[in-house]
Amino acid sequence: MSEVKIDELIAKGSFDCECGKHHSPKVKKAIIEHGAINKIVDVLKEYNGTKVFVLDDKNTHEAAGKQVIEVLKNANFPYTLYTINVDRIEPDEHAIGSIMLHYDSSCDIMLTVGSGVLNDLGKIVTETAHMPYVIFGTAPSMDGYASGTSSVVRDGLKVSVNSHCPDVVIGDLDILQKSPMRMIQSGLGDMIAKYISIAEWKISKIINDEYYCKTISDLIVTALEKCVKNADGIANRESDAVKAVMEGMVLSGVAANYAEVSRPVSGMEHYFSHVWDMRMVEFGTIADFHGIQCGIGTLDCLKVYDEIKKIKPNKEKALAYAKSFDYEAWQKVLRENLGAGAEQMIKNEAKEQKYNVELHAKRLEKIIAHWDEIIEIINTLPSYEWLSKVFDSVGAPKTVEEISVTKEAERMAFLITKDIRDKYIGSKLLWDLGELDEVCDKVFPL
């Protein structure tokens, strides 16, 4: 697939796809260029804004918020500013409530200055307030800029909820290039994670007849390849490299909007990050940027899939493993490691029934019948060694020790990934094969 121009893709609007779905990008405009901050007022007026509610935090206020306010002042454009003054914002009920209590009802459009968590919160607020929404990105750090969902912590569990996709995404390269290197690395990590998510999407199509779209898959792969191609320039904050990552972040959101689910952009690698985030909320452990954790999770997943390639499915072994699985004992493990967040997972399993022996037997038949096809997909994944060199070229962390996560927490996160969502991922495939514990011991020894 040829290189995708983001403005042309969005301008294309909605269309009927060969996959049978009607795709909509949801986001109406993306402006990613030098000096984009100077287009803010024109954008606000284009969406009939007369007074804007500006949201930032103490970090993004220094990075860009002050400049945004100056632009509004110079244009005599009315605004109300709310700066969240905490060291780390959690995307939970408390943060949403705080914004709503500071919200100015005389505003008719919202502008968030920030990235991941702030954008997720802004999307939820504007969904509730039914108003146009503009996100001014301060770092190319995550793939949720243009998505219609928000990743939040609800009742202790990291969940994805429907929210208002931004009408416009603005990324000023002059500001993005100056963002903390860790956040640029995070964006690259979130893009690199797509190697796993796309492969698992294809595998689930085979095993579960899950909806799959080649158009969406190709879009993701093209954006991913562009990011990797420009990775060497990230260490020097080169404009083309930073732009490739930011565009990849936006295109990922568009792809998720096309699919109407997050399946194309997140898989087992993301669930490592979700587990560590949930443990931070519950137990106060250390967690890093989402994309940094996803990058490490991707490297871990490549090790796992290297082991899966060595497996020859054994029907009797797999059936015996599923029959002997003690789900009550596993619930106890979930509660010990995740606290309150485990309860929603347990409720989810009551619906998903992945541990049901009859449903397992049906999946196993498909796995065995299509094993060669599954291995063919796994063989398209990059090697651990090659991807490790990409990480080295940008100075990104590659191991859990570098982000203060213990080896035990890494091992447990792998085992828990199968319980986070109802997506079919590598750890579920291993459970179905009766090989989960053996592969865990090989890849994550204590």
Side-chain angles (χ1 to χ4, degrees), residues 372-383:
D372 288 344
E373 295 172 59
I374 293 170
I375 293 299
E376 187 176 338
I377 292 170
I378 295 173
N379 282 333
T380 65
L381 291 170
S383 71

Side-chain angles (χ1 to χ4, degrees), residues 156-203:
L157 178 65
K158 199 73 177 285
V159 297
S160 183
V161 298
N162 291 329
S163 56
H164 181 186
C165 175
D167 296 282
V168 183
V169 178
I170 302 176
D172 190 322
L173 290 173
D174 297 319
I175 291 172
L176 295 175
Q177 285 178 259
K178 296 176 183 176
S179 58
M181 181 53 66
R182 192 79 161 190
M183 298 187 80
I184 301 175
Q185 294 168 345
S186 176
L188 181 63
D190 211 347
M191 279 306 299
I192 282 174
K194 279 43 171 174
Y195 282 119
I196 304 298
S197 62
I198 292 297
E200 290 180 335
W201 196 17
K202 293 176 180 178
I203 291 170

Side-chain angles (χ1 to χ4, degrees), residues 26-46:
K26 292 188 179 180
V27 63
K28 300 179 178 67
K29 182 179 292 188
I31 305 171
I32 303 171
E33 59 190 46
H34 291 283
I37 193 170
N38 297 311
K39 294 188 176 181
I40 287 178
V41 173
D42 289 339
V43 167
L44 296 177
K45 290 180 178 178
E46 181 181 351

